[in-house]
Amino acid sequence: MENVIELQHINKSFNGFQVKDLSIAVKKGYVTGFIGGNGAGKSTTIKLIMNLLQQDSGSISIFGMNYMQHEKEIKQRIGFVYDENIFYENLTLKEMKKIIQPAYKNWDDKAFQYFVDQFELPLNKKMKTLSKGMKMKASLTFALAHHAELIIMDEPTSGLDPIFRRELLNILHDLMQNGDKTIFFSTHITTDLDRIADYITFIQNGKHMFTKEFYKIEEEYAIVKGTLDLLDRETEQEFIAIRKTNSGFEALTAHKNRVANLFGDTVILENPTLEDIMYYSKKGGELYV
Amino acid sequence: MYSLIRKDFLLQKHIVLLYIAILLLFSLFVEASVYVGFIFSLSFIMSACSLDEKDNINILLNSLPYTRKEIVASKYIGALLFTLLFVIVMYVGDFLVNGNNGLLLLKEVMLILGLVMITTSFLLPFLYKFKMQYLHMAMVGVVVIYLLTISFFIKNLHDVIRALTLKILALQEIQLYFFAMLIIVILYIGSWLLSIRIYERKVF
């Protein structure tokens, strides 16, 4: 399967923060959810992918091209949505369009108008008066108006109300129905991903933990609940992290079947949420690193 | 790259119109001068830079299909184009209102362009490296030095500058002009390359 984004052995350190030997591949034609806690390196990774930051070592290839030689070709095919406002505050959407439109060869005015209508965006109001959700939709409109093949979104849902979030997810869902778009989508609101993500990429402390198909996570990972007497040095090895209380333990395992065979009926197995995985991985990371 | 220059124009189209109106109004009372052309051009270039210096705007521009070289180039080429625009408006206004079409015209245009280029050569790398607020501090420093100079060292600095301007405009030696222009162009290109170097390493 073709990879749209490939990061290989990326190292980058600055301001006391480090990305270590990060390798990520994003598959063409799918939605990849990019998760990790605050300060895990999500924004840094996205900035590296957008060439806003240069890596200290390692290679980045987008659509099979590198930024050194093909910066403009690559960016022609990328649409971007950021968490922060990236518009000139005192311009209207119409004026922003005049500035952004000439940058793209594939600009499609009809598509722009279509999404402006669909998202009910005001063309003649200054950008600074638009709500966060509106600005996000405006960014998405620009991305869609030049028929971007790859849409990169950095925390597009943070700070949006639930209705707006669901609306965005529906839009993205519809986008994926017709065409060969790829979406790379960072978030720490992991429930957003339940509805649309095909793959999950998880990073922590600047390190890549895993990239997996969403449904496989449920097959491999489990929350295990049982009594404390079941735990000993050997069985603890099976878990990423364990939370002990007076009444028993709760732990995350990445080997659901093995744990099921090992403990049999003495424990309860539950499907973990992405949040469970993030929480226990962080806990495990603190314990064993 | 052309669209980046167009962007600077669109962003400030009201200011451009205002400046042009003021320049035309100016020509009713005073003759076109090197000083006026220089100040107008420079203030326009500065405000174009200040609009773009925010991190989020840099993120926007760098996410669009432009290279960092082009973003820097648009400022250097734009500076020349906008200066020419103001100079042309100023002298055309002067011609229409006052009927002046002095022989000094070309020399004055060259002098304005030269002064703008020299100032821009120092300003742009500074602005790419630091933010506007540091420029204000630096300007305060320059003003202090200037005040010290005229009150203690060269009390007739203004006269000296005026005399120098006239002298330069009166100069006949084409070779000397040519030489000065060459040095300014080299300075400008050097500053341009330096700005690219600074901007390519910048983190947003």
Side-chain angles (χ1 to χ4, degrees):
Chain A
M1 223 173 340
E2 209 181 322
N3 290 330
V4 173
I5 303 174
E6 264 178 34
L7 268 63
Q8 280 171 340
H9 308 296
I10 298 293
N11 284 290
K12 172 82 194 172
S13 61
F14 62 101
N15 297 342
F17 177 78
Q18 247 188 328
V19 169
K20 282 161 267 173
D21 197 31
L22 186 70
S23 298
I24 291 179
V26 175
K27 298 226 164 17
K28 188 179 174 178
Y30 292 96
V31 177
T32 299
F34 187 37
I35 61 171
N38 289 329
K42 295 195 298 292
S43 288
T44 304
T45 307
I46 284 187
K47 283 180 177 176
L48 285 162
I49 293 172
M50 290 303 298
N51 201 30
L52 297 174
L53 273 181
Q54 271 86 43
Q55 68 273 28
D56 298 336
S57 66
S59 73
I60 295 177
S61 112
I62 318 278
F63 305 113
M65 297 181 281
N66 66 28
Y67 271 113
M68 289 296 274
Q69 281 136 19
H70 303 283
E71 174 155 18
K72 294 178 78 165
E73 289 103 305
I74 293 172
K75 286 180 179 170
Q76 282 286 350
R77 295 160 70 182
I78 297 183
F80 48 87
V81 177
Y82 294 110
D83 180 21
E84 52 199 320
N85 171 39
I86 49 156
F87 299 110
Y88 290 99
E89 290 187 328
N90 288 316
L91 294 191
T92 63
L93 188 58
K94 209 175 178 176
E95 289 166 322
M96 275 313 302
K97 186 193 114 177
K98 279 190 198 161
I99 286 175
I100 291 177
Q101 176 179 1
Y104 291 110
K105 286 182 203 143
N106 284 337
W107 185 267
D108 179 349
D109 231 16
K110 276 195 191 125
F112 180 81
Q113 200 51 51
Y114 172 80
F115 286 106
V116 165
D117 292 342
Q118 204 197 338
F119 297 162
E120 297 173 338
L121 291 169
L123 278 171
N124 292 316
K125 274 192 185 166
K126 288 190 174 175
M127 295 311 291
K128 67 177 169 195
T129 65
L130 300 192
S131 69
K132 199 168 173 194
M134 285 290 196
K135 281 180 201 155
M136 193 274 299
K137 281 181 172 176
S139 291
L140 198 57
T141 302
F142 284 120
L144 297 174
H146 73 269
H147 300 297
E149 295 160 50
L150 168 63
I151 298 178
I152 292 177
M153 301 198 276
D154 189 7
E155 307 270 0
T157 54
S158 81
L160 297 187
D161 66 46
I163 303 161
F164 230 120
R165 291 219 320 266
R166 189 171 283 201
E167 230 181 303
L168 169 72
L169 297 176
N170 287 337
I171 294 163
L172 297 182
H173 188 81
D174 290 347
L175 277 180
M176 295 309 289
Q177 299 307 309
N178 41 16
D180 48 357
K181 289 199 187 320
T182 305
I183 297 180
F184 187 66
F185 176 159
S186 87
T187 182
H188 53 238
I189 305 170
T190 51
T191 48
D192 287 348
L193 298 170
D194 297 344
R195 303 184 59 220
I196 53 159
D198 302 300
Y199 287 86
I200 298 294
T201 291
F202 175 32
I203 66 165
Q204 182 174 295
N205 298 329
K207 275 195 221 153
H208 180 232
M209 305 300 280
F210 65 72
T211 296
K212 284 182 198 296
E213 284 165 81
F214 206 150
Y215 74 89
K216 281 213 171 132
I217 293 176
E218 274 189 9
E219 285 177 6
E220 292 172 12
Y221 286 80
I223 293 283
V224 185
K225 289 177 180 169
T227 49
L228 287 171
D229 57 294
L230 293 170
L231 293 176
D232 56 42
R233 186 167 293 175
E234 205 176 314
T235 53
E236 280 186 13
Q237 297 284 315
E238 296 295 328
F239 301 116
I240 291 166
I242 304 167
R243 199 164 64 92
K244 291 174 192 167
T245 59
N246 291 333
S247 55
F249 77 93
E250 217 182 284
L252 179 76
T253 178
H255 317 288
K256 189 178 182 177
N257 292 332
R258 215 155 73 200
V259 168
N261 289 334
L262 185 66
F263 293 105
D265 288 341
T266 55
V267 293
I268 302 168
L269 295 181
E270 285 175 1
N271 282 334
T273 61
L274 288 173
E275 264 170 52
D276 290 328
I277 294 175
M278 283 165 70
Y279 170 75
Y280 282 101
S281 300
K282 179 136 177 52
K283 206 166 141 78
E286 278 164 11
L287 284 174
Y288 298 115
V289 172
Chain B
M1 212 232 5
Y2 155 76
S3 41
L4 283 168
I5 298 173
R6 191 167 157 268
K7 173 214 75 169
D8 280 342
F9 184 79
L10 280 174
L11 275 174
Q12 302 199 80
K13 59 174 189 254
H14 300 297
I15 298 177
V16 173
L17 293 176
L18 184 72
Y19 278 17
I20 289 176
I22 294 175
L23 278 174
L24 291 177
L25 204 66
F26 243 61
S27 52
L28 289 176
F29 307 106
V30 282
E31 290 185 0
S33 76
V34 172
Y35 192 62
V36 174
F38 173 64
I39 293 295
F40 272 71
S41 306
L42 201 64
S43 85
F44 185 84
I45 294 164
M46 295 263 293
S47 66
C49 288
S50 78
L51 282 169
D52 280 0
E53 80 166 359
K54 284 188 195 145
D55 275 355
N56 55 356
I57 297 304
N58 277 309
I59 289 176
L60 170 69
L61 296 179
N62 281 285
S63 299
L64 292 171
Y66 298 117
T67 61
R68 293 195 181 198
K69 283 193 180 76
E70 286 176 319
I71 293 170
V72 172
S74 77
K75 284 280 178 284
Y76 277 83
I77 295 173
L80 298 182
L81 290 180
F82 290 120
T83 306
L84 277 178
L85 172 73
F86 288 127
V87 166
I88 289 168
V89 169
M90 188 172 74
Y91 283 106
V92 168
D94 197 34
F95 174 70
L96 292 178
V97 178
N98 302 326
N100 284 340
N101 58 342
L103 291 167
L104 291 178
L105 191 96
L106 186 66
K107 279 184 178 177
E108 281 192 22
V109 172
M110 294 306 266
L111 187 59
I112 294 174
L113 210 54
L115 284 174
V116 170
M117 282 170 82
I118 293 170
T119 323
T120 317
S121 297
F122 290 103
L123 272 180
L124 284 181
F126 189 92
L127 286 178
Y128 278 121
K129 184 80 195 168
F130 308 105
K131 295 244 158 164
M132 203 54 109
Q133 66 192 91
Y134 293 102
L135 184 70
H136 292 309
M137 285 185 226
M139 298 251 267
V140 170
V142 170
V143 169
V144 170
I145 293 171
Y146 162 78
L147 288 176
L148 287 176
T149 313
I150 56 168
S151 43
F152 294 111
F153 305 110
I154 314 167
K155 295 204 168 146
N156 58 346
L157 186 69
H158 286 182
D159 296 333
V160 173
I161 291 176
R162 207 169 294 131
L164 195 69
T165 313
L166 287 176
K167 211 173 186 179
I168 292 174
L169 289 178
L171 270 179
Q172 294 299 326
E173 289 113 291
I174 297 295
Q175 271 182 332
L176 198 68
Y177 259 102
F178 208 73
F179 187 63
M181 252 356 244
L182 190 69
I183 288 180
I184 292 172
V185 168
I186 289 170
L187 176 71
Y188 203 64
I189 291 171
S191 154
W192 188 334
L193 295 175
L194 179 65
S195 290
I196 288 176
R197 244 179 108 84
I198 294 170
Y199 195 63
E200 283 189 332
R201 288 170 187 200
K202 218 166 163 167
V203 171
F204 309 114

